[in-house]
Amino acid sequence: MTSDAGTAPPPPAAGEAATFDAFSRAVQARFDAVVAADGHLFDVDAPDLGPLFLEHLPAERRPYHTCSCCLTFLRRFGRLVTVTKNGGIASALWSPDTVPDLYRPAVTAMMGAVTGAPIRSAFLASGETWGRPTAGGFPHFSLAVPETRRYGGIVVTARQAMAARREDFRTLSHALDVFDRRVVAQALTLLRAEALYRSEKVIGPAEFLLRLHDEVPRKAGPKRDAILWRAVANAPPGFCTPRGGMIGTLLADIAEGRDFATVKARFAAKMHPLAYQRPQAAPRAGTIAQAERLFAQLGLEPALRRRYARLDEIPTIWRPRHGAGAAAAEATASHTASGIFGGLKARQAAVPEAVLDMPAQTVTWSKFARDVLPDAQRMWVFTAERMTFCGLVTAVDPEAPPLLQWDRPEARNPVSWYIYVNGSTPTRWRLPEGAWVPVTGATLLPVLWSGADRYRHHRTGAVLILDGAQDDAASGLCLFPEFLRSDLHGVRAVIETYSKAHRIEGVEEGTANGLLVGQDGDHRIRVESAIGTATYRIDRWE
């Protein structure tokens, strides 16, 4: 540490360099522990800490510590705090118990200044290092920042993202004032009872608001603000702006005293798959230009090519058991996949009859997955006139940057899905109607592959992969706006227009299509186990 003034600083006292090094290591250790425990940082509205730091050092050591690098660090990073679950504020850097005696009074004063000040913003910054570790041959305050704490946004700067968080705080605080707990609880009751169409899309924001009503003090003050700031930092995209989404429409209808039939009809009309988050007009020229720049900046063009997924590249929760006809089926498939007669379909093994021709047992998907799947050796689905057949689609280029919400650089998953709004016929998927079709595998919807709670605003469901299911007439890439990563929201009309004008590739290679079960429809499934055969109807998720 050295002065940037015109006169040279006095030489350091014996061992002072080592003492400052110990101080810096203590600050780094405090920061590492804080971000490992919580991770989210906030900036408080406290005075500049530089003068306070110098004031609490021995007078003879102040000139040595009057350094522009260190004072800039204190001004920019010294006021960082974290928030506990109950609204307590803790300094992210300052802990008197761990620093050398020389600096303990200054650290105590700085900690008191920041923990007693109100939060003014969430804090975001990029870079591996905050501050300047060395300059002019002297060490200075700095922090080595773990990757999880570095702001990595490309579309907006850290400063712009912080401004957005401040707006989120304002709108969330206002929403809690406008929609009281009674209204939010009533909305959540309707959503959890599945009394409203596509309730899964807004049940997450409703639970978020109700939880905040229970956690946030009614009286305005620093603790209320701190809990709200913590909620803003942890909230999924869109949760902090309820008045601008469908949950806001629902809450407003309930608050205005509309009857259930009206609430239900209005909600269903706005949540229709062809209307919800779907652009209703062609994109403007300016929006198209914006999308061009954005896709060039993010390198997303390769991600727009989509193809049908194969069974061998998706995670499955069930496959047919060997020794129960599966080996023979695989052998048959391998012989007919190529050669002169490769396009001919071999005769399928007979579907075993259910024991005693018992009526189908109606179960939820959760019960079926828990009690039936583990012992199932083979399965078949009975194809009715119209069903929720589903296509699984992935990126042509597996190295293309993530385009979907659930596709992350550290956990790649470029697979999406589509169904037809009112279902589709078996023949559209090259399947016979009124027949038992073999199930070649079972998987959850791609949004559930990383855990059921991460993307709760999307529907739950499982796909029973059906032998030979291939969509004969799919149009578009099925890149729906509600699937896209949040930073593409502003150009969703352009992406959907592009999606409608192009086609999914690899129809013939797609072997991961099937029947979506768990929410819509009443599906008959025949299951063969070691002890016999039974038929089930899956009518809901749980």
Side-chain angles (χ1 to χ4, degrees):
M1 174 172 292
T2 184
S3 169
D4 291 288
T7 58
E16 187 163 30
T19 304
F20 181 78
D21 181 63
F23 180 28
S24 297
R25 283 187 278 108
V27 173
Q28 180 72 58
R30 168 72 177 180
F31 179 75
D32 291 342
V34 163
V35 297
D38 183 85
H40 295 291
L41 299 171
F42 306 90
D43 187 27
V44 298
D45 191 14
D48 184 1
L49 295 185
L52 191 64
F53 173 69
L54 294 174
E55 178 186 341
H56 286 80
L57 291 176
E60 67 274 13
R61 303 316 315 150
R62 291 172 192 167
Y64 177 71
H65 290 85
T66 304
C67 154
S68 66
C69 291
C70 289
L71 295 181
T72 298
F73 177 92
L74 291 175
R75 185 165 52 250
R76 186 175 183 196
F77 304 109
R79 294 174 293 203
L80 296 183
V81 300
T82 58
V83 178
T84 63
K85 187 174 181 180
N86 64 358
I89 294 178
S91 171
L93 305 185
W94 314 124
S95 176
D97 296 339
T98 62
V99 301
D101 292 343
L102 174 64
Y103 298 103
R104 188 164 293 131
V107 169
T108 301
M110 291 190 294
M111 184 183 72
V114 300
T115 56
I119 295 174
R120 64 181 178 184
S121 178
F123 182 83
L124 302 169
S126 57
E128 298 178 7
T129 304
W130 295 349
R132 298 180 65 183
T134 60
F138 289 86
H140 303 280
F141 283 132
S142 66
L143 292 170
V145 184
E147 187 174 358
T148 55
R149 274 298 88 221
R150 303 173 203 158
Y151 178 71
I154 298 176
V155 178
V156 298
T157 66
R159 189 177 296 275
Q160 290 170 327
M162 288 168 62
R165 299 288 196 284
R166 289 192 289 272
E167 182 62 16
D168 284 347
F169 175 85
R170 187 190 67 80
T171 56
L172 182 59
S173 180
H174 184 58
L176 290 176
D177 292 337
V178 172
F179 302 122
D180 62 31
R181 189 188 188 284
R182 178 191 60 82
V183 170
V184 177
Q186 190 171 350
L188 187 56
T189 299
L190 293 176
L191 294 168
R192 285 178 173 171
E194 299 183 3
L196 302 176
Y197 181 50
R198 303 184 80 199
S199 60
E200 76 279 355
K201 293 295 180 183
V202 295
I203 195 169
E207 291 175 336
F208 176 73
L209 287 176
L210 187 64
R211 185 167 61 251
L212 281 181
H213 267 299
D214 292 337
E215 294 176 353
V216 174
R218 293 184 181 182
K219 185 178 180 180
K223 183 174 182 178
R224 182 181 193 274
D225 289 351
I227 295 175
L228 278 179
W229 273 116
R230 180 183 169 91
V232 167
N234 285 284
F239 277 39
C240 295
T241 54
R243 299 189 72 194
M246 274 305 302
I247 183 62
T249 298
L250 175 61
L251 293 172
D253 284 349
I254 294 174
E256 292 170 8
R258 298 181 187 271
D259 61 81
F260 172 71
T262 302
V263 170
K264 181 177 181 180
R266 284 167 54 84
F267 190 84
K270 294 183 178 181
M271 289 300 296
H272 192 282
L274 298 181
Y276 179 65
Q277 293 190 354
R278 305 290 289 274
Q280 303 301 308
R284 298 177 182 273
T287 308
I288 295 174
Q290 178 188 358
E292 292 281 7
R293 293 191 299 270
L294 186 58
F295 268 66
Q297 186 179 13
L298 299 176
L300 280 175
E301 183 177 354
L304 290 172
R305 288 187 62 194
R306 308 286 289 170
R307 65 169 174 83
Y308 283 97
R310 302 188 310 272
L311 179 58
D312 60 41
E313 62 185 348
I314 66 170
T316 55
I317 56 175
W318 178 87
R319 295 291 296 272
R321 300 277 182 85
H322 288 278
E330 288 184 5
T332 301
S334 65
H335 284 305
T336 58
S338 59
I340 298 174
F341 304 107
L344 302 182
K345 196 167 183 67
R347 178 183 177 184
Q348 299 288 344
V351 181
E353 293 293 332
V355 177
L356 298 178
D357 196 26
M358 295 184 298
Q361 179 182 353
T362 300
V363 295
T364 65
W365 167 260
S366 295
K367 180 175 175 60
F368 184 83
R370 182 182 66 248
D371 299 341
V372 180
L373 269 189
D375 297 322
Q377 296 181 337
R378 291 189 297 171
M379 295 195 296
W380 296 261
V381 166
F382 187 79
T383 53
E385 180 180 1
R386 189 168 288 272
M387 305 177 75
T388 52
F389 293 110
C390 173
L392 293 186
V393 183
T394 189
V396 169
D397 180 2
E399 301 301 321
L403 190 65
L404 309 173
Q405 293 174 22
W406 51 86
D407 187 11
R408 309 188 307 280
E410 71 277 13
R412 296 306 310 269
N413 176 12
V415 181
S416 60
W417 73 95
Y418 72 90
I419 60 173
Y420 291 94
V421 173
N422 296 312
S424 49
T425 63
T427 54
R428 181 173 188 137
W429 294 82
R430 303 181 183 178
L431 299 174
E433 183 180 331
W436 291 98
V437 176
V439 178
T440 57
T443 185
L444 298 176
L445 283 177
V447 74
L448 301 176
W449 292 352
S450 61
D453 292 331
R454 191 175 183 92
Y455 303 100
R456 293 192 62 191
H457 54 292
H458 289 287
R459 71 179 296 159
T460 52
V463 181
L464 301 180
I465 311 300
L466 299 181
D467 184 32
Q470 293 173 332
D471 192 351
D472 255 340
S475 60
L477 299 173
C478 300
L479 288 173
F480 306 119
E482 58 193 272
F483 287 178
L484 300 175
R485 45 192 276 189
S486 59
D487 52 4
L488 298 177
H489 181 78
V491 296
R492 66 190 188 281
V494 178
I495 298 174
E496 179 152 24
T497 301
Y498 180 94
S499 176
K500 290 178 179 178
H502 294 76
R503 294 182 64 87
I504 303 169
E505 303 176 31
V507 175
E508 302 296 332
E509 290 73 37
T511 55
N513 305 313
L515 180 70
L516 179 62
V517 299
Q519 285 198 359
D520 301 321
D522 182 7
H523 311 301
R524 293 172 60 193
I525 302 167
R526 184 154 290 174
V527 179
E528 181 185 70
S529 68
I531 61 173
T533 304
T535 303
Y536 298 87
R537 291 182 183 271
I538 297 178
D539 64 344
R540 62 192 186 281
W541 185 253
E542 59 185 3

